[in-house]
Amino acid sequence: MKKHYIFLIPCLLFLVLSAEAQRRSDKNPVTYEELYDEPYEINKLFVQFQPIYGELFVTNVNAGFGLEVSYFLKDKMDFRVHARKTYTQQFDLSRDIAEKNSNVENIPNVYNYFELGATYHIKDFDESSKTKMFLYRKSYKGDKWAARVPLNVEIPCKVRKIYGARLGGFYFDTAIDVNRALDSQDKDVSILMNEESGQSLPATITDDNGQEDELTVFSNMSTGGIYVGGSMTWIKNVAVDFDNKYQEGVDDLIFTAFLDLLIAPSVSVDDVIYNGLMYSADEIDTSIIGFRAGLDGKFNRTLSWGYGGEVGVRPGLKGRGFYALVKISFPIYSTNLDNSVEAFGK
């Protein structure tokens, strides 16, 4: 038995050395030539089509599409306009349930969201940094690329940082489940009153079989307000040309993190209409204060893609404001709005 172990030791040693040699065979030093490193030379206008977003909003879970436009005004300010809406009724949960189950006469609204804002660059500067780039060859295709651990290198570069002050406005309208809203406030629909007769909205309804069921009540809410907050943006715009037949390396990410306070002086809940009578929604508690934290990323290219996400509490129904949002932008078209070329005489 010992002879077998003596024979296995050199074999294992050979295999380890061979694997190490193979692992290190493509880790030779790499040289590169810097093509550009200009974090201030980014495009000015970005038009982002968002084919998909998903929003876990306690008041109304929804999904749909959107459009976003942003503009950089030199190194002073940047502006942003955003709008989104649901695909169909089935992707607008409160509206869908209302259409199928509501016992009142209110017509549920389609969920819409609009936002307009600007960021003032309090401090806009650059500093030395590094970026990590993967080494890729044209021969790394299909299974060959999937089966290997990609090599990477660190390249010195400049990173532009922007400390920003944000200010803007927002508006959204949505169908709401009044039963759930009041239940979260330890109330029920009987608290809603007809102001002319003093009659309460009945909490139950009798069906055709004589059985009592809970009155299912849906209404609509519209909320308009402002946001104020701060942001931090990191911009890299560097490209290098590697030797050893590696493809060019590029890092042109524009990444922003932000934190906002949301203030909505206007939170309006529609009165409930039942059997031709109107019942005031004033007893439904609302909140005018909220907050959010989020991030956005995109690339400084003529055609590219981007991403974004937010989490926070919206002004609106008290106790029903939490939301989490994810959105994907594709394609993103961007331009520097400058088609001129300098010319010199011979």
Side-chain angles (χ1 to χ4, degrees), residues 16 39 57 62 94 111 135 153 157 181-182 202 208 230 260 267 328-330 333 344:
V16 170
F57 184 18
N62 62 93
S94 288
Y111 179 85
L135 298 177
V153 293
C157 69
L182 289 173
D208 296 336
D260 295 329
V267 179
I328 300 296
S329 298
F330 182 81
Y333 170 75
F344 301 92

Side-chain angles (χ1 to χ4, degrees), residues 71-325:
Y71 176 77
F72 284 85
L73 180 61
K74 299 182 179 179
D75 58 351
K76 303 297 183 183
M77 297 183 70
D78 61 84
F79 302 88
R80 175 175 170 269
V81 179
H82 175 58
R84 63 179 183 267
K85 68 179 302 177
T86 54
Y87 294 123
T88 63
Q89 177 180 310
Q90 287 72 26
F91 292 90
D92 192 341
L93 189 62
S94 288
R95 177 164 66 109
D96 188 44
I97 297 174
E99 292 283 4
K100 296 175 180 177
N101 299 290
S102 181
N103 298 130
V104 299
E105 297 160 33
N106 298 65
I107 300 174
N109 283 345
V110 177
Y111 179 85
N112 297 287
Y113 185 92
F114 305 95
E115 190 172 308
L116 169 66
T119 300
Y120 176 71
H121 299 182
I122 299 174
K123 188 175 182 181
D124 191 336
F125 63 101
D126 66 81
E127 60 184 25
S128 298
S129 181
K130 292 182 179 180
T131 182
K132 185 177 291 186
M133 295 183 179
F134 292 105
L135 298 177
Y136 180 80
R137 293 176 177 172
K138 289 183 178 179
S139 60
Y140 298 165
K141 294 182 178 179
D143 295 338
K144 189 174 182 180
W145 174 248
R148 66 187 297 117
V149 177
L151 298 175
N152 61 78
V153 293
E154 285 191 341
I155 302 297
C157 69
K158 291 183 288 187
V159 58
R160 177 182 173 188
K161 295 183 178 181
I162 302 172
Y163 298 127
R166 291 161 52 92
L167 178 65
F170 64 90
Y171 173 86
F172 67 91
D173 59 343
T174 178
I176 61 172
D177 187 332
V178 176
N179 297 82
R180 289 180 179 271
L182 289 173
D183 185 61
S184 68
Q185 300 170 15
D186 296 323
K187 303 175 183 178
D188 62 36
V189 297
S190 64
I191 202 170
L192 307 183
M193 307 286 292
N194 176 265
E195 294 180 350
E196 294 182 359
S197 65
Q199 178 181 348
S200 297
L201 183 68
T204 60
I205 186 174
T206 304
D207 62 19
D208 296 336
N209 298 321
Q211 295 182 340
E212 285 193 348
D213 292 321
E214 181 183 36
L215 184 71
T216 304
V217 181
F218 281 81
S219 184
N220 298 302
M221 178 181 69
S222 59
T223 303
I226 64 171
Y227 67 85
V228 58
S231 65
M232 178 69 181
T233 299
W234 293 263
I235 301 175
K236 290 181 180 179
N237 190 34
V238 57
V240 298
D241 185 16
F242 292 111
D243 66 356
N244 296 344
K245 298 182 181 180
Y246 288 115
Q247 298 291 294
E248 293 178 356
V250 178
D251 186 356
D252 56 355
L253 177 63
I254 303 172
F255 180 83
T256 299
F258 58 86
L259 179 65
D260 295 329
L261 176 67
L262 309 176
I263 306 171
S266 174
V267 179
S268 176
V269 179
D270 292 351
D271 293 337
V272 174
I273 305 172
Y274 179 65
N275 287 340
L277 296 178
M278 187 171 293
Y279 296 83
S280 174
D282 291 345
E283 295 299 324
I284 302 176
D285 294 333
T286 59
S287 173
I288 66 170
I289 301 295
F291 69 89
R292 66 180 176 184
L295 55 86
D296 284 297
K298 55 180 176 283
F299 300 90
N300 184 50
R301 305 172 192 177
T302 302
L303 287 174
S304 64
W305 67 283
Y307 54 88
E310 298 176 17
V311 63
V313 176
R314 281 201 184 108
L317 299 177
K318 189 174 182 178
R320 305 279 292 172
F322 175 81
Y323 79 101
L325 167 70

